Amino acid sequence: MAGKNESENLAKEATSAKAQETPVNSEADDLKKQLAEAKAALKTADEEKVKLEGDLDLEKKAREDAEAENRKLDDHVAKLEGSEMERQKAEEKVKIVIAEGEGSEGRDDVFVGVQGISYQIKRGVEVKVPKSVYKVLTDSASTVYEESGDGEDIEYTARPVPRFNIKVVE
């Protein structure tokens, strides 16, 4: 009987040892699985990083190309403005006075732009301007609507009114 009890005890110890090994092996397997998942996630993140860095390089290149194109356009505009300025300097001049108008706006300086060249003209002061500037000033107008008729037959007629009172000084 002693042998039988001893065998039972050994069997119980072996079962107990296996039971103890199983959780350890299970934890090791879980850790291995987590490590594999982490490595896979890291690999995916690295691949995404490489893709994003490539996209960033493309964006930088596109921005540099756009900036180079803008510089070319700025240079072209500067040349055009320079030639237009020379043309306006050579153009026949007209000596004018722009009278003050009603209200506070009637005392403001008059801004005129011709082909990218700007002029700011003080009201009430005699100035020489290129003929093209004088033409823009005389062509500028406001639209006034005049009422005619009565009752249900009222009609409105649009009439252009010069925006500025300009006196040509000879």
Side-chain angles (χ1 to χ4, degrees), residues 154-167:
I154 296 177
E155 290 184 13
Y156 294 93
T157 307
R159 180 174 63 92
V161 175
R163 182 151 182 223
F164 303 106
N165 181 358
I166 304 169
K167 178 181 173 186

Side-chain angles (χ1 to χ4, degrees), residues 2 17 63 72 75 85-86 94 111 117-118 132 140 160:
R63 180 177 293 152
K72 286 180 188 176
D75 290 346
M85 189 174 289
E86 293 301 318
V94 179
F111 175 83
I117 309 301
S118 302
S132 57
S140 64

Side-chain angles (χ1 to χ4, degrees), residues 9 18-20 37 40 45 60-61 63 68 74 77-78 81 83-85 90 92 115 124-125 132 134 146 150 158 161:
N9 283 340
K18 283 184 183 178
Q20 288 175 356
E37 289 172 355
K60 284 180 182 177
K61 175 74 171 117
R63 180 177 293 152
D74 288 345
V77 167
E81 285 177 346
S83 63
E84 178 61 22
M85 189 174 289
E92 182 183 340
Q115 296 294 325
V125 176
S132 57
Y134 172 72
E146 295 178 341
D150 57 355
V161 175

Side-chain angles (χ1 to χ4, degrees), residues 44-56:
T44 302
D46 285 342
E47 290 169 353
E48 184 66 19
K49 178 183 173 190
V50 168
K51 181 185 178 300
L52 289 173
E53 286 173 343
D55 291 348
L56 181 61

Side-chain angles (χ1 to χ4, degrees), residues 16-71:
S16 175
K18 283 184 183 178
Q20 288 175 356
E21 286 179 16
T22 304
V24 171
N25 287 342
S26 177
E27 283 182 29
D29 289 343
D30 286 346
L31 289 173
K32 286 179 184 177
K33 184 178 176 184
Q34 289 175 357
L35 180 61
E37 289 172 355
K39 285 181 179 180
L42 183 59
K43 182 179 179 185
T44 302
D46 285 342
E47 290 169 353
E48 184 66 19
K49 178 183 173 190
V50 168
K51 181 185 178 300
L52 289 173
E53 286 173 343
D55 291 348
L56 181 61
D57 288 342
L58 289 174
E59 287 292 325
K60 284 180 182 177
K61 175 74 171 117
R63 180 177 293 152
E64 289 170 0
D65 291 347
E67 288 172 353
E69 186 64 26
N70 281 342
R71 282 191 295 277

Side-chain angles (χ1 to χ4, degrees), residues 135-155:
K135 176 89 169 107
V136 168
L137 287 167
T138 58
D139 287 348
S140 64
S142 298
T143 302
V144 174
Y145 293 91
E146 295 178 341
E147 191 176 292
S148 61
D150 57 355
E152 292 181 17
D153 297 329
I154 296 177
E155 290 184 13

